[in-house]
Amino acid sequence: MDFRLKDRTLGYAGKAVLENLSLHIETGQKVSLLGRSGAGKSTLLKALYAQSQNRAALIPQDTALVQTLSVFHNVYMARLHIHPTWYTLRNLIWPARAEIQAMTPLLQRLGLEHKLRTAVGELSGGQRQRVAVGRALYQDREVLLGDEPVSAVDERQARDVLALICERHDTLILAMHDVELALAFSDRIIGLADGRIVLDEAAANLRSADLKFLYQGEHAASQSEAADAQASPPDPIALESY
């Protein structure tokens, strides 16, 4: 599916973050959103997700997992919409063998197969992030959107996870902070700064040095994207647009 924004101003909690923004992302593109903390990557991603009409899966920055439930149950929730209520309740009590078998190959790719029955709250930050990736992939949606989907894992794991994401989705929109990973796993780079798009270029035409200007003054930024994600509701419908 295509995504379009025309002369939109986007923000959260009464504050405009991106103003007079126009953007078109075509089906089949792998896009990375780059910019310093507070540039509006999360805000833009949520606005695009709000357009998806249930055709996209989202990996939120805060993972939005249920800490007291197991890895199995958190990933299984990705497909609640396709199962009747009685079947869902049965799997909450005792996971069906067929569901475990269906999920296991994905968990193996994410290095989580041995954590199937472990409560998410007992996992490391990197493991929890991989569970969130697994849940999004298990939805099997047409498009995947991710907000810093590999920020909590090491570089080797990050590359493995991004390779898996790219393998399963032709259309991707990822808010990223690691420039090298963005260049390696995207075909289009969109740079945000000063409340607007300041760069929109094919990744093949760019080097990491070409993107340094996007991060000037990052340590002096008064508003981090972590605060952005916390202040804006997880439900993208509630995203304010002025």
Side-chain angles (χ1 to χ4, degrees), residues 172-187:
L172 297 172
I173 308 172
L174 304 177
M176 298 283 287
H177 197 77
D178 189 306
V179 169
E180 296 294 343
L181 289 175
L183 290 172
F185 290 94
S186 307
D187 51 42

Side-chain angles (χ1 to χ4, degrees), residues 4-59:
R4 293 180 185 271
L5 296 173
K6 180 67 173 177
D7 298 328
R8 292 283 302 279
T9 296
L10 305 172
Y12 65 93
K15 176 183 177 181
V17 177
L18 298 167
E19 300 186 82
N20 301 319
L21 184 142
S22 294
L23 178 64
H24 179 206
I25 297 175
E26 297 179 353
T27 300
Q29 291 188 328
K30 292 179 170 62
V31 179
S32 280
L33 308 177
L34 296 180
R36 72 187 193 186
S37 296
K41 301 189 297 292
S42 296
T43 297
L44 175 55
L45 198 70
K46 288 180 181 179
L48 296 172
Y49 181 64
Q51 283 193 359
S52 69
Q53 299 179 340
N54 296 321
R55 296 169 66 183
L58 174 67
I59 305 169

Side-chain angles (χ1 to χ4, degrees), residues 30-34 159 162 166 174-191 199-212 214-215:
K30 292 179 170 62
V31 179
S32 280
L33 308 177
L34 296 180
R159 289 183 174 274
L162 289 171
C166 289
L174 304 177
M176 298 283 287
H177 197 77
D178 189 306
V179 169
E180 296 294 343
L181 289 175
L183 290 172
F185 290 94
S186 307
D187 51 42
R188 180 180 174 187
I189 302 293
I190 294 174
L199 180 143
D200 190 347
E201 183 67 69
N205 297 336
L206 297 168
R207 299 174 301 169
S208 58
D210 299 323
L211 302 171
K212 286 184 178 179
L214 293 171
Y215 300 94

Side-chain angles (χ1 to χ4, degrees), residues 76-159:
Y76 174 76
M77 284 191 292
R79 295 188 179 180
L80 289 182
H81 61 288
I82 68 174
H83 295 303
T85 301
W86 69 266
Y87 187 81
T88 296
L89 292 174
R90 181 228 189 254
N91 276 280
L92 286 173
I93 299 169
W94 190 261
R97 179 177 298 179
E99 295 295 337
I100 293 174
Q101 291 175 340
M103 190 184 300
T104 296
L106 175 60
L107 295 181
Q108 288 174 334
R109 292 289 300 273
L110 293 166
L112 294 168
E113 69 274 21
H114 300 303
K115 300 294 185 179
L116 185 76
R117 299 184 185 276
T118 302
V120 163
E122 298 176 14
L123 302 178
S124 68
Q127 290 171 329
R128 288 195 297 270
Q129 190 168 62
R130 281 179 280 151
V131 174
V133 170
R135 182 185 57 193
L137 292 177
Y138 204 57
Q139 289 185 49
D140 199 25
R141 299 289 193 184
E142 180 181 341
V143 180
L144 184 72
L145 287 78
D147 195 349
E148 302 284 358
V150 293
S151 60
V153 300
D154 62 34
E155 184 176 355
R156 181 188 63 78
Q157 289 178 329
R159 289 183 174 274

Side-chain angles (χ1 to χ4, degrees), residues 60-78:
Q61 192 176 86
D62 64 357
T63 72
L65 300 172
V66 181
Q67 302 294 307
T68 56
L69 293 182
S70 69
V71 169
F72 169 84
H73 287 112
N74 273 277
V75 176
Y76 174 76
M77 284 191 292

